[in-house]
Structure formats: structure tokens, C-alpha cells
Amino acid sequence: MTMETVSLNRSHGGTQGVHKHVSAETGTEMTFSVFVPDHAEGAKLPVLWYLSGLTCTHANVTEKGEFRAACAEHGLIFVAPDTSPRGEDVPDDEGYDFGKGAGFYVDATEAPWAKNFRMRSYIETELPALIAAQFPAEMARQGITGHSMGGHGALTIGLRNAGRFRSVSAFSPIVSPLACPWGDKALTGYIGADRAAWREYDACALIADGARVPDLLVDQGSADGFLEEQLKTQLLVEACENAGQPATIRMQEGYDHSYYFISTFMAGHVAWHAERLKA
């Protein structure tokens, strides 16, 4: 597992790194960032994954997420991968909500996307193995969070891998791709027209079908322009209530979809994960 370090910067009593490697899953070079707090020699630290939203790369949260002070305080490694494969040979779409920057954390089955768009396997299998090999990570203690499309990824990956993730949270997640235009476009293109095959990529459907995690934390801004048409937070509220899935789903008055919102509540999410990732 060869990894190249792009940059290292001292920050908040830890080291912020940006790294890249050639992915066997996507067939491309992938870039990701990792913040490692200072720690005793030989110590292993829990890991918090952050999945970004449409059009984003690893850089959005790394530069604007304001997570480092909280991660240093609680001793959490923070891993932020890219949202999709990139490169001249990777297929793309004219829209911002499909193709590069819009991988939706699925393993595509439709041509021409199936060759490269394997973000589910990249996040669930390949990158964790690299993190375990290259960083002081205790992989028995993992949490996952994300924003928007990345919130969809965090919820669905967490629900499908409940034994792996002790904690699952999200900011402004797409809670049901089965019920919104973003999801309809992406999953039709990547997975095909059989909507039954989409259920494993829909948090509300997964919960209805029996998937569970110990607890969920979701923050959603009331002034988010995507709330009514795309995010549909109320569907997750109803799914959790109907299934008895423990969840804290908070509407934050006046907040929008931006990193001004995310950075406001990031430290609280880090602390919430840290409490659940204690040894």
C-alpha cells in the first residue's frame, strides 16, 4: 500500500496531512486528508471519517471544517477522502450532481461508470486498510459523519456496517435518494432503473428493512435551500420513529447548507463521537 505525502502542517497540537495513492478500486489516483493529534509513542487512536458533499474534494472540510481543535482535545484521527474518482480517463457529466465530484458513495454497475465509480468499496474496504497500515489508528473504534451527499454516505455506510462503526452522525444529509431528484438522477445513472436495487443506498429504506445503529445524530439547518426538495429530513424522522431507531435529529434555526453551518456544530459532533469511541 504505497502512499505519497503531499503536505504536512502543524495545527492545534497535531499534524494535518494530505496524501495520495493509486486506488485498485477506482483505478485512479485518490487524494485524502488525515489529521493526527499528538499522542504517546505506540498509542492507537480512534478514527472519525468525514464524507464530503456534491462538488467537494477532501479540501473543503480540511480548510473550512474547523475540526482540528476538537479532534486534538478528544484524541481522534480525522480522515477526509475525496467524493469520487478523478482523472482525464474518468467519465463525467455536464451536471454538478453526477460524475466527478458526485460519486454518491455507491459501487456503480452501469456503463461507463462501473469501471471507476466504486466509492462504496473504496470507503468501506480499501482506504480503511491503508489508514490502518499507515497511521496510528485503532480500527476497532471508528465513527463516521458527513455532509449532504456525504451525509447520505455516512448514514448508509454506517447502517450497512453497524458492527464497524460505533457512532454515526450527519450534517444536512440526503436521507432518501429514492425520494429526491438528486438521488433519482444519480442512482439511475450509476445503478440502473431497478429501484429495488437502490434500497441499500437509502438510509430510510435501510432502516425500514431492519438496519440499525446504536444511535444517530443529525443536524439540519432550517434555512437550507435544499431542505424541502432534496434533503427531506422529516422522512428520516419518520423512519426512525416507525422502526424504533434511536436518533437525535435537530433543526437548527436560521442555518443554511454551507460550511458556516457545518463548522458551527462540528465540535459538538466530534465530542459526541468521542464519547462513543472511548476504549
Side-chain angles (χ1 to χ4, degrees):
M1 293 186 181
T2 302
M3 180 186 77
E4 178 183 343
T5 296
V6 177
S7 63
L8 293 174
N9 294 96
R10 184 82 176 144
S11 181
H12 288 285
T15 302
Q16 177 64 65
V18 175
H19 313 273
K20 62 183 179 180
H21 73 117
V22 175
S23 167
E25 288 292 349
T26 69
T28 67
E29 188 173 79
M30 296 295 290
T31 302
F32 61 96
S33 77
V34 182
F35 176 73
V36 181
D38 291 347
H39 56 281
E41 184 176 355
K44 296 285 189 178
L45 305 179
V47 178
L48 179 57
W49 295 84
Y50 179 92
L51 306 184
S52 288
L54 285 168
T55 75
C56 291
T57 70
H58 69 284
N60 297 74
V61 70
T62 304
E63 297 170 1
K64 298 184 288 188
E66 300 185 24
F67 56 86
R68 278 175 285 271
C71 286
E73 176 185 353
H74 295 288
L76 299 185
I77 293 174
F78 190 95
V79 181
D82 202 346
T83 54
S84 65
R86 300 179 193 272
E88 292 183 2
D89 296 332
V90 175
D92 199 8
D93 183 81
E94 293 181 356
Y96 73 95
D97 52 357
F98 192 65
K100 295 178 186 177
F104 270 82
Y105 304 99
V106 306
D107 279 354
T109 57
E110 298 293 298
W113 314 101
K115 178 181 177 181
N116 304 113
F117 281 73
R118 296 186 50 81
M119 292 302 295
R120 172 181 177 173
S121 291
Y122 180 71
I123 299 297
E124 289 185 350
T125 305
E126 185 177 16
L127 189 56
L130 180 63
I131 296 299
Q134 299 286 351
F135 297 92
E138 184 177 342
M139 303 306 281
R141 293 192 286 156
Q142 295 185 68
I144 190 166
T145 187
H147 171 235
S148 194
M149 180 186 73
H152 140 77
L155 294 177
T156 56
I157 290 171
L159 286 162
R160 289 195 307 264
N161 297 273
R164 177 185 300 181
F165 296 101
R166 293 192 188 181
S167 53
V168 180
S169 79
F171 302 89
S172 311
I174 302 169
V175 304
S176 181
L178 279 159
C180 74
W182 278 342
D184 189 69
K185 179 177 180 178
L187 296 189
T188 299
Y190 293 137
I191 308 299
D194 181 6
R195 293 172 67 87
W198 300 9
R199 295 186 70 83
E200 61 185 316
Y201 296 114
D202 184 297
C204 293
L206 284 165
I207 291 169
D209 291 345
R212 297 290 184 272
V213 292
D215 198 4
L216 288 175
L217 173 63
V218 173
D219 276 310
Q220 171 64 57
S222 67
D224 189 324
F226 299 114
L227 176 58
E228 297 301 321
E229 183 180 21
Q230 303 285 8
L231 307 179
K232 301 190 175 183
T233 307
Q234 185 59 32
L235 295 180
L236 182 64
V237 173
E238 294 168 1
C240 290
E241 290 177 348
N242 291 339
Q245 165 64 57
T248 300
I249 301 174
R250 307 183 296 204
M251 295 300 297
Q252 302 293 356
E253 187 65 28
Y255 285 91
D256 59 19
H257 199 69
S258 72
Y259 270 88
Y260 294 109
F261 161 63
I262 298 166
S263 63
T264 300
F265 298 98
M266 178 66 83
H269 277 241
V270 170
W272 184 88
H273 284 277
E275 179 65 25
R276 288 153 180 79
L277 296 175
K278 290 180 177 177

